[in-house]
Amino acid sequence: MGRPEKPLAQDAGPATAFARELRRLRSGAGSPSYRELAKRALFSASVLSDAAAGYRLPTLQVALAFAEACGGDRAVWERRWREAAREVGGEGRPDARAVHRGQETRPRAAVRALPPTPAQLPMEPRPLAGRTRLLGRARMLTDLADGSVPPLLVHGQTGVGKSVFALRLAAELAAGLPDGQLYVDLDPAGGGRRDAAALTGHLLRALGIAPEQVPDDPAQRVGLYRSVLRQRRLLVVFDGVRQELQVRELLVAAPHCRIVLTARSRLLGLDGIRRLALPVLDRNESMELLASVLGRERLAAAPRAGLMLAEACGDLPLSLTLAARRLAARPGALLTEAIADLVTGEDLFARLRVGDESLAERYEDAYHRLTPQARLVLRRFAATRTAPSVDTVAHASATALARSLERDAGTVEDLLDDLVDAGLLERTDVAGQYGLPPLVRQFAHAQADPTAHEPVPGTARCRSHALTGDARG
């Protein structure tokens, strides 16, 4: 037996009139029980019954959920609700009709405060130089297709500007998604959340779901989150994903939502998503980024120095930005001399630190997540003389590295792929060949111990060493 309908309030003004319209809509839909409506609307039967009682105006979320569960048009009912809310909010005195009839009046019930539409996108942390073609490609990948849009993963090496790119894309997509934007930082270094169950509760509360409506059971919580996304026009950004398990259950191909992820890794364990690899900048884009921080006039006075800095930084957006900020803090210095002083030596990566942003810390985080065997391959790669200078990308094939390590190419190629997914290597257009960015090369040189006997991955000596651990990292 369904929940009995509460009696309609006796002439409580706009709230009663709005409730009367809700009742007519429910009747026109075949008078489904409130329990049936609760399954469709994702609000409890008692909340929906209160909405149609007329003692107070329901929240906009409840009103729209009620209306849509009965087949009502969302835009029409949102307009009706706002008209009723204006009437309720604008009348601070007793109902004139009640006073005229000599009836006792009581203060009109206040409209409950509405949770704000989520607008959680942070400010873009640094300039986005170029990327016009890739932004167009990303927009195409997030276009509606077959009634739904798969999530889009933006991946690439450490410091390539994945978060900045995703935030620019998100700002463009948000204009067509009026129900709000959710942003989740999953990078532990940034204080990001790592527990999927807790994360789901956080997202539901941000979407206006009352705490008492959030299920305790993690599976039900995820189910409710997915159901809400099916009903709303939302943008969700998961920034800095470390592993598939963090987001797998939270990804949906909803017809009216867009989901964007960023990660160093390709997250090959996720099915049904689209992927966009973000490369380093081309040289013109690097100069554009430097000009945006240093000023066009200052850079124009020393263009060759700017090109030297771009080459030393491997056209990596984060390193260029940090270097430019250091130089901008010395406006009186001659730019040619300041850049020459900055890039001299083989530890530029360590000097690219401004405030709490540090390229070296990003590399250290990625490096210490590697297996001892992958660390060794990185150090051996850095030790090979495959680049004309320390300022250019070094190239090597899995076969060549396998020979130097006295190991089969298949095993070494797997380790090189691990380094790519760690954001420390890049693939080249040549099959089987990998590129080592100049700053990663400097970093890897700093990690190597030239006096130590390094184990060879896959050999008995390596397996023995792995059992005792690689304290040097």
Side-chain angles (χ1 to χ4, degrees):
M1 180 177 178
R3 173 183 293 273
E5 189 165 45
K6 295 180 180 180
L8 188 66
Q10 296 299 311
D11 197 17
T16 301
F18 186 81
R20 191 177 290 113
E21 292 181 26
L22 287 178
R23 291 187 177 217
R24 290 196 189 102
L25 179 66
R26 175 171 171 258
S27 177
S31 298
S33 71
Y34 282 103
R35 287 182 181 176
E36 292 175 14
L37 287 182
K39 294 177 182 179
R40 304 177 202 168
L42 304 178
F43 283 96
S44 69
S46 62
V47 169
L48 298 174
S49 179
D50 284 343
Y55 290 96
R56 63 182 62 83
L57 192 67
T59 66
L60 176 59
Q61 286 84 354
V62 171
L64 293 180
F66 190 114
E68 289 183 315
C70 294
D73 182 85
R74 181 183 180 93
V76 170
W77 281 91
E78 182 172 350
R79 184 174 64 252
R80 289 180 179 176
W81 183 91
R82 294 193 184 282
E83 291 172 354
R86 279 195 297 271
E87 291 185 48
V88 171
E91 296 180 4
R93 56 186 182 278
D95 192 317
R97 288 171 297 173
V99 173
H100 179 72
R101 289 193 298 266
Q103 298 173 350
E104 181 182 357
T105 62
R106 52 185 176 178
R108 193 175 304 281
V111 182
R112 284 183 284 175
L114 289 174
T117 299
Q120 298 182 348
L121 294 180
M123 182 178 71
E124 294 179 34
R126 52 183 173 273
L128 179 68
R131 306 297 199 193
T132 303
R133 182 185 62 82
L134 283 170
L135 277 171
R137 172 70 176 161
R139 286 192 295 268
M140 186 184 74
L141 291 173
T142 53
D143 280 346
L144 189 65
D146 300 326
S148 63
V149 181
L152 174 65
L153 168 64
V154 179
H155 63 94
Q157 66 172 283
T158 300
V160 81
K162 300 177 291 293
S163 296
V164 180
F165 182 88
L167 289 175
R168 175 61 60 85
L169 174 64
E172 295 184 8
L173 297 177
L177 300 167
D179 289 336
Q181 313 101 43
L182 299 173
Y183 175 84
V184 182
D185 181 4
L186 287 164
D187 187 347
R193 297 176 176 81
R194 304 181 68 179
D195 180 72
L199 178 58
T200 311
H202 161 78
L203 291 169
L204 288 171
R205 288 190 291 274
L207 290 168
I209 305 300
E212 62 270 17
Q213 299 298 321
V214 176
D216 293 329
D217 181 74
Q220 293 180 4
R221 201 178 304 167
V222 170
L224 177 59
Y225 165 77
R226 293 173 182 166
S227 300
V228 172
L229 258 62
R230 294 286 300 181
Q231 293 186 344
R232 302 199 190 175
R233 296 161 292 178
L234 286 161
L235 171 68
V236 186
V237 178
F238 295 105
D239 196 11
V241 180
R242 292 300 182 98
Q243 54 187 340
E244 293 90 342
L245 188 63
Q246 291 178 297
V247 295
R248 180 178 284 113
E249 294 184 333
L250 303 178
L251 301 183
V252 297
H256 307 299
C257 292
R258 301 292 182 273
I259 299 178
V260 178
L261 308 94
T262 73
R264 296 170 184 166
S265 167
R266 295 163 293 171
L267 300 180
L268 296 178
L270 295 179
D271 294 325
I273 70 172
R274 292 170 174 169
R275 293 175 173 85
L276 179 67
L278 201 63
V280 297
L281 302 175
D282 63 35
R283 192 53 51 85
N284 289 333
E285 291 173 333
S286 293
M287 296 299 283
E288 180 185 340
L289 190 155
L290 290 175
S292 69
V293 181
L294 293 172
R296 297 193 180 277
E297 291 184 3
R298 190 180 183 196
L299 185 62
R304 293 184 63 183
L307 291 170
M308 181 174 68
L309 178 60
E311 184 175 20
C313 290
D315 297 297
L316 190 70
L318 177 59
S319 60
L320 285 167
T321 301
L322 295 177
R325 287 179 184 169
R326 285 178 62 101
L327 296 167
R330 301 167 56 193
L334 187 64
L335 190 59
T336 302
E337 295 179 358
I339 288 178
D341 178 64
L342 181 62
V343 302
T344 299
E346 295 193 2
D347 62 345
L348 173 60
F349 76 92
R351 284 180 281 175
L352 293 179
R353 177 189 296 273
V354 177
D356 61 354
E357 279 203 271
S358 166
L359 183 65
E361 289 181 3
R362 300 279 187 97
Y363 285 160
E364 287 166 2
D365 175 70
Y367 184 77
H368 289 296
R369 291 176 179 273
L370 296 170
T371 63
Q373 293 82 5
R375 295 176 195 168
L376 170 60
V377 171
L378 179 65
R379 296 196 295 264
R380 287 291 179 89
F381 197 155
T384 60
R385 299 193 177 279
T386 57
S389 74
V390 295
D391 295 339
T392 56
V393 176
H395 296 95
S397 67
T399 303
L401 285 170
R403 282 198 300 267
S404 73
L405 290 164
E406 300 178 0
R407 185 56 180 153
D408 66 275
T411 299
V412 173
E413 189 164 18
D414 287 341
L415 293 169
L416 289 169
D417 284 341
D418 290 343
L419 291 169
V420 171
D421 281 337
L424 297 173
L425 286 189
E426 58 188 16
R427 287 182 178 80
T428 70
D429 295 332
V430 179
Q433 188 179 73
Y434 297 80
L436 179 64
L439 293 175
V440 179
R441 190 181 183 196
Q442 292 180 22
F443 172 81
H445 270 303
Q447 310 308 309
D449 181 358
T451 64
H453 289 289
E454 298 289 2
V456 179
T459 65
R461 187 155 53 98
C462 175
R463 288 192 293 271
S464 174
H465 185 82
L467 291 174
T468 59
D470 185 354
R472 289 182 304 278

